[in-house]
């Protein structure tokens, strides 16, 4: 299996996505993942326009928001050859549109609720966020074991990789976690050695708020970790 590891235009930090697009443009990157996780449609339209002015030709992996209209999926597939989308469970964020047309391209991410095998089977499979899984391993062993069973049964079509911190902290929703979208040291990726290669899908997104340059360094480190498995 060929693994494609992609830097990501992330949108968690307000406004920072514009800097990411500028950096992608100046670096001449032709292939990235796109995570408009925190952008309303008005801003997403701006993002699509700005992307047209970059060298990006392919966006194989896109984080699907529950409010994205069908034309947006059509547009990304037609113009950027998008192969996989991931989304959160409908229990967390109910879909506003009918995505049945693209169900075979959509993977359900493991978040902070246990994966629902029935829901996963309605779509293409699991989008494994390895850092979420590692947080479950440390803090919620029962959910970890449950999710492992669903992952093995249903398979993974795409993956997210973020940092794992030594100390836990609470997020904006007061959830205790070890995973973080900001990498301070490459060693915060060493937890990946705990997982067999079969857990890493064909498309892997480096889901970090770090600069594209830093994400590319993380990518090289991840390649070394996976190569020496």
């Amino acid at each position: 299996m060929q693994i494609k590891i992609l830097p990501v235009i992330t949108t968690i930090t307000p406004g920072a996505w514009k800097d990411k697009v500028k950096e992608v443009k100046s670096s001449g990157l032709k292939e990235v993942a796109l995570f408009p996780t925190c952008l309303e449609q008005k801003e997403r339209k701006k993002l699509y326009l700005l992307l047209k002015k970059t060298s990006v030709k392919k966006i194989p992996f896109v984080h699907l928001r529950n409010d994205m209209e069908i034309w947006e999926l059509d547009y990304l597939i037609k113009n950027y050859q998008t192969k996989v989308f991931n989304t959160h469970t409908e229990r967390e964020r109910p879909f506003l549109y009918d995505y049945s047309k693209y169900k075979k391209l959509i993977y359900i991410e493991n978040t902070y609720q246990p994966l629902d095998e029935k829901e996963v089977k309605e779509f293409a499979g699991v989008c494994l966020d390895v850092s979420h899984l590692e947080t479950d391993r440390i803090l919620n062993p029962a959910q970890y074991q449950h999710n492992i069973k669903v992952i093995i049964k249903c398979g993974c079509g795409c993956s997210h990789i973020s940092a794992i911190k030594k100390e836990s902290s609470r997020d904006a929703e007061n959830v205790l976690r070890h995973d973080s979208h900001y990498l301070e040291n490459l060693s915060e990726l060493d937890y990946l050695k705990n997982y067999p290669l079969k857990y890493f899908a064909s498309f892997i997104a480096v889901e970090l708020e770090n600069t594209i340059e830093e994400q590319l360094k993380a990518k090289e480190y991840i390649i070394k970790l996976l190569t020496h498995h």
Side-chain angles (χ1 to χ4, degrees), residues 32 82 126 158:
V32 295
T82 302
V126 176
C158 47

Side-chain angles (χ1 to χ4, degrees), residues 20 36 42 69 89 91 105-106 124 126 130 142-143 167 169-170 178 198 202-203:
K20 292 269 194 316
K42 186 178 178 182
E69 294 185 30
T89 171
R91 287 168 291 155
L105 303 182
I106 298 172
V126 176
V130 192
Q143 182 162 300
E167 303 297 326
S169 59
R170 292 194 179 274
H178 279 269
K198 66 181 180 181
S202 301
F203 297 99

Side-chain angles (χ1 to χ4, degrees), residues 36-88:
T37 322
C38 299
L39 297 186
E40 303 293 335
Q41 191 186 82
K42 186 178 178 182
E43 285 190 299
R44 293 199 302 272
K45 286 181 176 178
K46 290 179 186 174
L47 172 57
Y48 300 148
L49 286 172
L50 288 174
L51 277 171
K52 288 171 78 172
K53 298 174 183 176
T54 70
S55 54
V56 172
K57 302 296 180 192
K58 292 183 180 179
I59 305 176
F61 187 179
V62 174
H63 194 309
L64 175 65
R65 270 178 61 113
N66 68 323
D67 67 346
M68 285 175 75
E69 294 185 30
I70 303 302
W71 72 261
E72 295 181 72
L73 282 72
D74 292 339
Y75 174 81
L76 291 163
I77 290 167
K78 181 182 176 183
N79 292 279
Y80 294 105
Q81 302 171 49
T82 302
K83 304 293 184 191
V84 295
F85 296 87
N86 87 274
T87 190
H88 293 188

